[in-house]
C-alpha cells in the first residue's frame, strides 16, 4: 500500500481533520505494535506497509513484556500529546483496522496469535466465542 492511500484510509477511519494527525497516530500505534511482533509475522506486515511505516514497525519502541490491550491503549495515550485513554482507543482502532484490511485474514490471525488476548477488538475483528 502506498503512503498516501494508507494515510487517507487512517484519516477517514479515524475522522482526523488532517493527514498529520493520522500520521502521528499511525507512527505511535505501529511502533507499539512492532514491539510485540517477531519473526516472519513482523517482516510480512512490514512488507505490506508504506516504507516509512515499515521502518517504524521494524524499529519499535521497547516493550519489556507483552502489553494487554488495556496497557497498549494507555501506552498509546502516553505517546500522543494530549491524548486520553478514550482518544487513544479511537487512534489504535483507526490504525489497526486499516492494518487488518491491508493484511487479510491469514496474516491477521498470525499477528493475533503473537498478541495477548483482546487485540482482535482493537483490529476491529472480534473473534467468535
Amino acid at each position: 500500500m502506498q503512503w498516501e492511500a494508507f494515510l487517507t484510509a487512517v484519516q477517514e477511519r479515524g475522522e482526523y481533520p488532517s493527514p498529520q494527525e493520522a500520521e502521528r497516530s499511525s507512527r505511535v500505534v505501529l511502533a507499539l505494535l512492532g514491539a510485540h511482533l517477531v519473526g516472519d509475522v513482523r517482516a510480512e506486515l512490514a512488507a505490506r506497509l508504506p516504507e516509512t511505516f515499515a521502518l517504524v514497525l521494524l524499529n519499535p519502541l521497547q516493550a519489556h513484556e507483552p502489553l494487554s490491550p488495556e496497557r497498549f491503549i494507555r501506552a498509546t495515550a502516553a505517546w500522543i500529546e494530549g491524548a486520553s485513554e478514550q482518544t487513544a482507543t479511537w487512534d489504535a482502532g483507526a490504525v489497526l483496522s486499516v492494518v487488518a484490511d491491508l493484511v487479510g485474514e491469514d496474516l491477521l490471525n498470525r499477528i493475533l496469535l503473537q498478541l495477548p488476548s483482546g487485540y482482535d477488538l482493537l483490529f476491529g475483528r472480534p473473534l467468535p466465542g
Side-chain angles (χ1 to χ4, degrees):
M1 180 175 258
Q2 298 297 317
W3 171 263
E4 288 181 20
F6 186 89
L7 273 187
T8 297
V10 171
Q11 185 177 357
E12 288 174 0
R13 193 81 41 97
E15 299 179 11
Y16 297 110
S18 71
Q20 292 78 17
E21 288 187 52
E23 179 181 350
R24 177 200 65 197
S25 294
S26 296
R27 285 180 181 276
V28 169
V29 170
L30 291 171
L32 286 167
L33 179 63
H36 290 78
L37 301 178
V38 296
D40 291 343
V41 169
R42 187 164 68 178
E44 285 181 49
L45 174 54
R48 296 183 192 195
L49 293 170
E51 183 178 0
T52 300
F53 290 136
L55 293 173
V56 168
L57 183 86
L58 294 171
N59 296 292
L61 299 170
Q62 295 301 310
H64 298 289
E65 61 184 25
L67 297 177
S68 67
E70 296 80 16
R71 290 183 59 210
F72 186 91
I73 294 301
R74 285 196 292 275
T76 301
W79 281 95
I80 297 176
E81 185 178 334
S84 66
E85 287 186 27
Q86 184 177 9
T87 61
T89 300
W90 185 265
D91 294 331
V95 175
L96 295 178
S97 65
V98 170
V99 168
D101 291 346
L102 176 66
V103 301
E105 293 302 314
D106 178 59
L107 181 53
L108 179 60
N109 288 335
R110 290 187 290 136
I111 289 170
L112 291 172
L113 284 174
Q114 290 193 7
L115 299 169
S117 67
Y119 274 83
D120 55 321
L121 299 175
L122 293 178
F123 281 90
R125 300 293 199 282
L127 295 173

